[in-house]
Amino acid sequence: MDGKVWLVIAAVVALGLAAAAAVLFVRVLSARRLLLDAGIPLRDKALFWVAVVYTLSPLDLVPDPVYLDDIGVLLLALRSLHAAAAAAAAGRSADRTA
């Protein structure tokens, strides 16, 4: 294959990863309303802010043309925050029934 073809393929992959990271970043920011919930542990709230800072930071574990590390951090933050919110909601509903 020609060198230009590989360059185009690399650019398309990089743009796809950047788009995925951007979508996850927006989802993390939209999940910040969960941070107002008093039942969410501080650890999960801190993980949210760490994910935001890491995504915006110019320092990365993997160079920025490859957004896999940013995507991983954002997914971890979303999963942790939603799990903590579900546990807090379950705890509140158990308190109401008791």
Side-chain angles (χ1 to χ4, degrees), residues 18-78:
V23 167
L24 287 172
F25 184 69
V26 168
R27 288 188 65 190
V28 167
L29 288 179
S30 67
R32 72 176 181 255
R33 67 180 164 76
L34 293 175
L35 295 177
L36 300 175
D37 189 354
I40 306 277
L42 179 61
R43 174 190 55 126
D44 297 305
K45 291 178 183 181
L47 183 59
F48 167 83
W49 290 112
V50 167
V52 169
V53 168
Y54 182 79
T55 302
L56 296 176
S57 171
L59 302 174
D60 282 333
L61 294 175
V62 178
D64 256 345
V66 180
Y67 293 101
L68 293 177
D69 59 330
D70 296 325
I71 291 170
V73 169
L74 291 170
L75 283 173
L76 176 66
L78 276 174

